[in-house]
Amino acid sequence: MNSTMIHEQVVDVQLFALARELTNVARVLLEVPVEGRPVTIADVQHALMTRFPRLASLGSKLLFAVGTQYADENTVVQPGEPVACFPPVSGG
Amino acid sequence: MNSTMIHEQVVDVQLFALARELTNVARVLLEVPVEGRPVTIADVQHALMTRFPRLASLGSKLLFAVGTQYADENTVVQPGEPVACFPPVSGG
Amino acid sequence: MPKLTEQPIDSQQLLCAVQTTQAGAVILFLGTVREFTNQRQTLALDYEAFAPMAIAEMERIEAEAREKWVLAKIETIHRLGHLTLGEISVGVAVSAPHRDAAFAAGQYIIDELKRRVPIWKKENWSDGSQEWVHP
Amino acid sequence: MPKLTEQPIDSQQLLCAVQTTQAGAVILFLGTVREFTNQRQTLALDYEAFAPMAIAEMERIEAEAREKWVLAKIETIHRLGHLTLGEISVGVAVSAPHRDAAFAAGQYIIDELKRRVPIWKKENWSDGSQEWVHP
């Protein structure tokens, strides 16, 4: 009946600083599997680590934002919302 | 026997801010009675209030210095040491 | 108002921007590129930002400071790119009617900036190595 | 180093005087002539000092700050004479390897200066009256 059922959500992910250098990627359109519930940052993180195993060296230190706001693993990523992924900040 | 017995110590007193304005005096050579012990700030203060009764409006708020150091009522004023007398400070 | 810049930070401009006769106190904080960190010698620093979020986060921090203290004006600016020894990496200027508020707000803003604003620095050590600084 | 001056205080000069590659943090505090105090309007302030003791007391305060915190350089300057709205009455600049020390020392120095240094100010209110300020 539902012939247009979506199995993946494409998420626009920007990477910064050491996360960018480890992956050699500043921006990636990541295909995140959809499992019958809204995509969360945890899903994005899992897809990102699968695609870029070298990010494992930053592991649980990686931080995420949806749009321009910090997000935690339960934050929902609506279709079209950009995500940023980066190491602990060190400005100043 | 002691024909040069001193009965007064002349103390050089500078006055500042409201203390100066109340007395119309920026500097006075004050004759402070000597009572068989070293002259203290308490003695200077007493002589000053006697000489300038209008200082009473500042009363116990008046501050004293010997040289360039804060002094309390028990601080000894050696002959030749200058004294300063002023209201609470309000710089900044 | 928060800013990011690739140009040298002008401390005089920061002070002018927060000046007002409503304020009796002005605080300026400048972070500069320091030569030694635990005996290791720095030649230069490279700063990178996630710019739109950095600006948004700096705006939130300024708004929080205004909720906590009575302030007149705030300027927050962070330099990006390649900085050599002694150059100013960050500037925070706060004016307020009273100095306790100016000091507390200035310290709050720089502390939160370093904790939350998405900017990263890479050390250029004197031995030729480079290293991202991660607290 | 402590100074008293009859000339306008140059904030840029204060910042330059404490600049060093040993320091990662610089704090500048400026006290300025504020227009309103509890709804009363100030036109100008007159500052008077017992100069030799003021300098000696400022030196003691700087020395105390150096005992409490690791600092690079300190500049303390107070203006004397007639100041109009917005003019700088006092400036304190401190550089330090780390910002917490710079903030704490800057606040200590201005707090102690206001508490101990023999300088007095007289308000020139907008109603034409004059009044010595006594805390």
Side-chain angles (χ1 to χ4, degrees):
Chain A
M1 193 167 125
N2 188 345
S3 61
T4 59
M5 201 173 142
I6 298 165
H7 292 280
E8 281 167 346
Q9 180 174 319
V10 175
V11 180
D12 180 348
V13 181
Q14 277 189 280
L15 298 152
F16 293 93
L18 187 54
R20 176 175 48 72
E21 285 194 355
L22 285 173
T23 60
N24 281 312
V25 164
R27 186 170 180 179
V28 60
L29 295 177
L30 198 66
E31 293 171 350
V32 180
V34 174
E35 320 205 358
R37 52 165 180 73
V39 164
T40 64
I41 285 294
D43 301 326
V44 173
Q45 179 164 21
H46 185 259
L48 203 60
M49 302 304 257
T50 306
R51 172 86 169 263
F52 302 109
R54 295 191 64 192
L55 282 178
S57 70
L58 276 164
S60 62
K61 289 186 181 171
L62 277 178
L63 300 172
F64 288 86
V66 175
T68 59
Q69 291 258 20
Y70 277 105
D72 63 29
E73 58 180 11
N74 300 316
T75 304
V76 169
V77 183
Q78 302 290 353
E81 280 190 317
V83 168
C85 169
F86 45 79
V89 307
S90 56
Chain B
M1 192 165 118
N2 189 345
S3 61
T4 60
M5 200 172 140
I6 298 165
H7 292 278
E8 282 167 347
Q9 179 175 319
V10 175
V11 180
D12 179 349
V13 181
Q14 276 189 281
L15 299 152
F16 293 94
L18 187 55
R20 177 176 48 72
E21 286 195 355
L22 285 172
T23 58
N24 282 314
V25 163
R27 187 168 179 179
V28 60
L29 296 176
L30 198 66
E31 293 171 350
V32 180
V34 174
E35 319 206 0
R37 52 165 180 75
V39 163
T40 65
I41 285 294
D43 301 325
V44 174
Q45 178 164 22
H46 185 258
L48 202 59
M49 302 304 257
T50 306
R51 171 86 169 266
F52 303 108
R54 294 192 62 193
L55 281 178
S57 69
L58 277 164
S60 62
K61 289 184 180 173
L62 276 177
L63 300 172
F64 289 85
V66 174
T68 59
Q69 291 258 22
Y70 278 104
D72 64 29
E73 58 180 10
N74 301 316
T75 305
V76 168
V77 182
Q78 301 290 352
E81 280 189 317
V83 167
C85 168
F86 46 78
V89 307
S90 57
Chain C
M1 244 183 42
K3 292 186 190 70
L4 299 171
T5 179
E6 304 261 344
Q7 304 304 316
I9 290 173
D10 180 344
S11 55
Q12 205 55 34
Q13 204 174 302
L14 285 177
L15 287 172
C16 287
V18 300
Q19 205 174 323
T20 155
T21 58
Q22 309 310 303
V26 174
I27 269 289
L28 174 68
F29 171 81
L30 299 176
T32 58
V33 180
R34 187 180 55 204
E35 189 165 11
F36 287 98
T37 302
N38 303 327
Q39 270 116 53
R40 287 192 82 182
Q41 193 177 8
T42 297
L43 295 182
L45 295 175
D46 287 286
Y47 284 94
E48 167 181 339
F50 173 23
M53 179 171 168
I55 292 288
E57 204 65 28
M58 286 153 91
E59 280 171 350
R60 287 189 279 266
I61 292 167
E62 289 191 5
E64 290 160 15
R66 287 187 179 284
E67 275 182 28
K68 289 173 189 284
W69 298 282
V70 176
L71 306 175
K73 298 187 179 183
I74 309 176
E75 288 286 318
T76 312
I77 188 165
H78 203 294
R79 174 95 178 267
L80 300 178
H82 189 74
L83 277 74
T84 54
L85 279 192
E87 286 200 272
I88 301 168
S89 56
V90 60
V92 177
V94 179
S95 57
H98 298 286
R99 73 183 185 285
D100 286 353
F103 270 102
Q107 191 149 19
Y108 178 79
I109 291 167
I110 184 64
D111 285 354
E112 290 299 301
L113 183 149
K114 290 178 81 95
R115 200 174 70 77
R116 293 156 49 179
V117 174
I119 298 175
W120 302 271
K121 69 170 159 249
K122 188 192 256 180
E123 285 274 6
N124 296 255
W125 297 111
S126 62
D127 61 11
S129 66
Q130 288 196 327
E131 186 182 359
W132 286 101
V133 178
H134 292 136
Chain D
M1 246 181 43
K3 293 185 189 72
L4 298 170
T5 179
E6 304 261 345
Q7 304 305 314
I9 290 175
D10 180 343
S11 55
Q12 205 54 35
Q13 203 174 302
L14 285 176
L15 286 173
C16 286
V18 300
Q19 204 176 322
T20 154
T21 59
Q22 310 310 303
V26 175
I27 270 289
L28 174 68
F29 171 81
L30 300 175
T32 58
V33 180
R34 189 181 53 203
E35 188 165 11
F36 287 98
T37 302
N38 304 327
Q39 271 116 51
R40 287 192 83 182
Q41 192 177 10
T42 296
L43 295 182
L45 294 175
D46 288 286
Y47 283 93
E48 167 180 339
F50 174 22
M53 180 173 168
I55 292 287
E57 203 66 28
M58 287 154 90
E59 279 170 351
R60 287 189 278 264
I61 292 168
E62 289 191 5
E64 290 161 15
R66 287 188 179 284
E67 274 182 29
K68 290 173 188 283
W69 298 282
V70 176
L71 306 175
K73 298 186 180 183
I74 308 176
E75 288 286 318
T76 312
I77 188 165
H78 203 296
R79 174 96 178 265
L80 300 177
H82 189 73
L83 277 73
T84 54
L85 278 191
E87 285 199 275
I88 301 169
S89 56
V90 60
V92 177
V94 180
S95 59
H98 298 286
R99 73 182 186 286
D100 287 353
F103 270 102
Q107 191 150 20
Y108 178 80
I109 290 166
I110 184 64
D111 286 353
E112 291 299 301
L113 183 150
K114 289 179 81 97
R115 198 174 72 77
R116 291 156 51 180
V117 174
I119 297 175
W120 302 270
K121 68 170 161 251
K122 190 192 253 181
E123 284 274 7
N124 296 255
W125 297 112
S126 62
D127 62 10
S129 67
Q130 287 197 327
E131 186 183 357
W132 285 101
V133 178
H134 292 136

